[in-house]
Amino acid sequence: MKIFSQVKKSLVGLLAGTALFVGGAAALQTPTQASAATINDLKTNDVNLDVKAAIAIDAKTGQVLYAKNASAVRPTASMSKMMTIYLVLKAIDENKLSWNQKITPSEGAVKVSQNTNYSNVPLKTDHEYTVKSLYQAMVIYSANGAAMALGDQIGGTQTKFVDLMRAQAKKMGIKDAEFYTANGLDNGDVGQDRYPGAPNSATNKMSAADVAILSQRLLKDYPEVLDTTSVKEAKFDNGDTKTDMPNWNWMLKGLTKAYTALPVDGLKTGTSDAAGANFAATVHKDGHRLITVVMGARHDSDQDTSRFEQTQKLMSYVYNNYNYTPVKTGLNFKKNSELPVFHGKKQTVATQTAGTTNLWLEKGIEADAITGKVSGNKKLYKKSGLQAPIKKGQKVGTYRLMIKGQDNTFVDGSQGFEVPAVASQADKKANIFVIGWRAFKGLF
């Protein structure tokens, strides 16, 4: 027993020394990070859109299906309210606001709400309004004063609320956004509530790609937003009067620019002299959801329907030129499916994809064009591989899916789509003698 103990200590010592050398030299496979690629143009010449900028993405994965000047930062006008909507729903979710909570609007919000040049419901300083009524006015009718009243309630002041908008944008990975008001009006248009240090002409701006990211997060985190964005008309109760609130999204079912094949149920329009006509739209069709954004469409009058016609053209292009294709669970893509195992009995473990997803394939490209490469979860690594033992079905890394012969850009800038990788077999830990021998031979 004494001799065995001495041999064991020698092997462990040799193992430690060799492992330091081999571990330092070994390449560590870790998940590929999203690139900083700029999404600007994709398939731009395939459809003639009369807009300054546009993008179409899958709502779930963020796969980019079309882009025109999508990284150009442009005025958003009332599409800015989507960030205010997000923060209202976030406050509700965190129990910082309740739908039946009463709000007395500030003097600044009331003054803006009385301006007939803007979309509004008239507010009064001597009347209380529920959070729900102000939220509906903002979402359905794009009421500017209502957006400010909600911003005051959440942030305390307009300035503090705008700071929250800016901070939330950064959390979403939106770096180029500019926010000065809660409603999308120019800084000078909100009077005493203008953002300090910024000129009166300062206006909210985002790129089409950033608006798509905001839309995606809004739908993912708070899908209940569609319960309100899909409302065609409502009334706002001001105590002694009621204001009609028709939805500015004329692509909703039953409205002027509705199209049976495209059941649009959101999201938000935006219009100004500087912005032109904007529209962030979403359609749920055949079990999946698409997001489109058009910016700078023609706006000759309040009755101009160009932004809806351009949206219909963009949505139709996607459905006519792509197939929504399932990517099943349990795929392994052969040679790119194994990961090294540190001190494992087999030294490598086979992996496969976990969970199902879907990718849009250009028509003519088949499902076997989808490929993937696995990378290991660095938290599970020790020295030069996954730490043994490994259980069958254990999550061990990530597959990045790609499509041969097709662009693989996603709205977050990444190239390819990530899905979990799990071990398709178990791998026990090698015994001390095998480990020692590998150390002696410099094998891991």
Side-chain angles (χ1 to χ4, degrees), residues 125-318:
T125 54
D126 60 352
H127 191 73
E128 291 183 329
Y129 304 89
T130 64
V131 168
K132 185 174 183 178
S133 66
L134 293 170
Y135 171 80
Q136 290 175 331
M138 172 178 63
V139 176
I140 298 168
Y141 196 48
S142 199
N144 289 290
M148 293 175 67
L150 289 166
D152 282 329
Q153 188 65 31
I154 294 171
T157 66
Q158 289 297 298
T159 298
K160 289 180 180 178
F161 182 74
V162 170
D163 288 340
L164 290 176
M165 296 173 76
R166 294 177 175 185
Q168 186 62 55
K170 290 181 179 178
K171 288 180 182 179
M172 292 178 177
I174 299 172
K175 299 177 181 179
D176 297 326
E178 296 181 30
F179 289 108
Y180 300 97
T181 64
N183 49 28
L185 294 176
D186 288 356
N187 196 35
D189 292 335
V190 295
Q192 65 194 56
D193 289 310
R194 66 175 62 87
Y195 195 86
N200 287 343
S201 59
T203 192
N204 295 0
K205 294 180 180 180
M206 298 174 73
S207 68
D210 288 341
V211 174
I213 291 173
L214 173 56
S215 302
Q216 183 187 28
R217 282 294 303 273
L218 182 56
L219 291 169
K220 178 183 177 182
D221 295 347
Y222 306 109
E224 63 269 24
V225 69
L226 294 170
D227 294 338
T228 309
T229 61
S230 59
V231 174
K232 291 183 290 186
E233 59 182 344
K235 288 186 180 292
F236 183 80
D237 190 347
N238 199 27
D240 52 0
T241 60
K242 290 187 177 181
T243 303
D244 291 328
M245 298 192 300
N247 200 314
W248 290 103
N249 175 5
W250 297 349
M251 290 189 78
L252 294 177
K253 184 179 179 180
L255 298 186
T256 310
K257 299 305 294 184
Y259 185 47
T260 305
L262 298 171
V264 171
D265 53 5
L267 285 164
K268 192 71 191 72
T269 58
T271 312
S272 71
D273 291 341
N278 297 338
F279 184 32
T282 184
V283 57
H284 189 260
K285 179 179 170 70
D286 301 332
H288 56 77
R289 184 169 290 281
L290 189 70
I291 293 169
T292 62
V293 179
V294 298
M295 301 181 74
R298 188 188 66 228
H299 183 63
D300 290 341
S301 71
D302 287 343
Q303 301 307 310
D304 198 323
T305 59
S306 180
R307 60 182 158 197
F308 306 117
E309 292 159 6
Q310 301 308 307
T311 295
Q312 178 182 325
K313 189 184 295 186
L314 179 52
M315 288 180 173
S316 297
Y317 164 77
V318 172

Side-chain angles (χ1 to χ4, degrees), residues 31-37 39 42 58 60-65 216 327 333 357-361 369-375 398-404 406-420:
T32 307
Q33 298 298 311
S35 69
I39 304 155
L42 176 66
D58 179 76
K60 183 177 181 181
T61 66
Q63 183 182 2
V64 179
L65 307 168
Q216 183 187 28
V327 182
F333 308 103
T357 189
N358 292 271
L359 292 173
W360 294 79
L361 303 187
I370 299 173
T371 64
K373 185 174 183 179
V374 70
S375 55
T398 304
Y399 271 96
R400 183 171 289 275
L401 304 180
M402 306 281 283
I403 306 169
K404 289 182 180 178
Q406 183 176 319
D407 184 271
N408 289 282
T409 300
F410 289 71
V411 75
D412 64 357
S414 61
Q415 301 295 306
F417 182 67
E418 291 186 350
V419 295

